[in-house]
Amino acid sequence: MSVIQNTDTQLALYRTRLFLEEGRTEAALSTLETIHPENEKLHSDVAYLLAWGYIQRKQWKEASAVLSPLLEAAQYSDGEQETLVDRERLALYLLHLGQVALYLTHVEDASRHLMLCLKVLHDRRVHLPAVRIKAHYYLALTCCVRSLTSSCVEHYEEALRLARHYGREEDVPDILYRLCDAYQKNKEYVQACKAGREALHLYETRMDQQMQARLHNLLGHACHHSGDYSEALSHCTESLALAVACQQVMLAISNCT
C-alpha cells in the first residue's frame, strides 16, 4: 500500500512542478495541500515546492519558514534579509531555492533558480555582491554534476573575480579549491596547479588542516597528469600525513592509491 501511496505522491509532485514552471502558483499550492508524504525525502520535496510557490507569490515569511530547515540541513546560510526590498528579497530567495534544489539533487531546477537569480541581479537597483558570488558558485556546482566542465570553470572564475572585486576575501579559498578541481576535470593542469597552490597558501594561513589535506591531494593529481611525478609524490605524501592526522579515512586511501 505504501508503495502505491509513494507513487501517487511522486505523480502529484511532478504535476506541482509543472504548475510552478508554468507560473500556475495557485494550482501548485492547492495540489500540495492534498499531499501527505510518507518519508523524509518526500517531505523535503514538498517543503521545497511550497517554498517555490511562496516565492512566486512573494510570501517571504512563509518561504523562509519552509526553507530554513532545509538550508540548515544543507549547511548553507546567508544573513542578508531584514532590510531588503522585494526585488532584492527575490534574488536572495532564488539563491536559497537553488541551494536547496541542489541539496535535494534537483539539479535542473537548481540551475533554473540560480539563472533567474542572476537575471534579477542584473537590475542596477539590486546590489547584493554576496548573493551574486554564491549564485555563480552554486551554478558551477550544477555544471559539475552535469559534467559541463567548461561552464563549471567559467562560473567559478566569475565567482572568483567578483569575490576579489568586492573584497570578500573570506570567499576566495573555497572558490579557488573548487576551481582547482574544475580546471583538472577540464584537463587544464597548469591552471589547476596555479589555483591549487594559491588556495593551499590561504588554508595554511588559516591553519585549516583538513582543507590543506584536500588541496595537497588535488595538487598531487594535477602534477601527476602534467608529468611532474616528483612534485605529485610530494603532495600526495603530505596529503596522506594530514589526512591521517585529521582522521579522513577516504582521503588517506585515495593518497595511498
Side-chain angles (χ1 to χ4, degrees), residues 17-209:
R17 180 176 276 101
L18 290 178
F19 287 147
L20 290 166
E21 289 175 0
E22 295 167 0
R24 299 170 61 187
T25 310
E26 299 304 323
L29 293 177
S30 296
T31 303
L32 288 171
E33 289 176 1
T34 68
I35 300 175
H36 305 288
E38 292 291 313
N39 58 55
E40 185 176 345
K41 174 64 170 65
L42 291 175
H43 185 273
S44 295
D45 284 337
V46 170
Y48 157 67
L49 292 173
L50 271 172
W52 189 346
Y54 289 142
I55 290 168
Q56 286 186 347
R57 288 169 59 172
K58 297 183 180 180
Q59 294 179 244
W60 310 124
K61 184 176 180 180
E62 290 81 356
S64 179
V66 292
L67 277 177
S68 292
L70 295 175
L71 286 166
E72 289 173 9
Q75 297 182 337
Y76 300 139
S77 64
D78 291 279
E80 317 173 42
Q81 290 202 39
E82 296 303 323
T83 62
L84 304 183
V85 297
D86 272 354
R87 57 182 171 269
E88 293 171 324
R89 283 181 183 270
L90 178 58
L92 179 61
Y93 276 86
L94 285 169
L95 170 66
H96 288 330
L97 200 60
Q99 291 172 322
V100 168
L102 189 57
Y103 169 63
L104 296 175
T105 67
H106 303 317
V107 181
E108 294 295 336
D109 282 353
S111 180
R112 180 184 298 110
H113 302 319
L114 293 166
M115 289 298 291
L116 184 54
C117 172
L118 286 176
K119 185 176 180 180
V120 175
L121 288 166
H122 283 316
D123 186 330
R124 292 182 179 180
R125 296 169 295 177
V126 181
H127 183 66
L128 298 171
V131 174
R132 188 184 295 273
I133 292 164
K134 287 182 172 65
H136 280 289
Y137 180 88
Y138 289 111
L139 261 174
L141 287 177
T142 69
C143 292
C144 180
V145 172
R146 292 176 291 167
S147 299
L148 303 173
T149 53
S150 294
S151 295
C152 179
V153 166
E154 288 173 8
H155 283 296
Y156 280 134
E157 286 179 336
E158 180 62 9
L160 182 62
R161 185 191 71 80
L162 290 168
R164 286 174 165 157
H165 176 74
Y166 290 111
R168 290 187 59 88
E169 296 302 318
E170 67 274 20
D171 295 331
V172 170
D174 290 343
I175 297 171
L176 281 169
Y177 165 67
R178 294 287 187 176
L179 188 54
C180 173
D181 187 42
Y183 278 136
Q184 186 173 202
K185 288 175 180 174
N186 209 35
K187 298 182 180 180
E188 298 180 63
Y189 302 119
V190 173
Q191 291 295 91
C193 289
K194 182 180 177 182
R197 290 188 186 105
E198 185 178 353
L200 179 60
H201 172 71
L202 294 172
Y203 284 122
E204 286 172 343
T205 302
R206 289 185 179 184
M207 294 184 288
D208 187 334
Q209 287 193 327

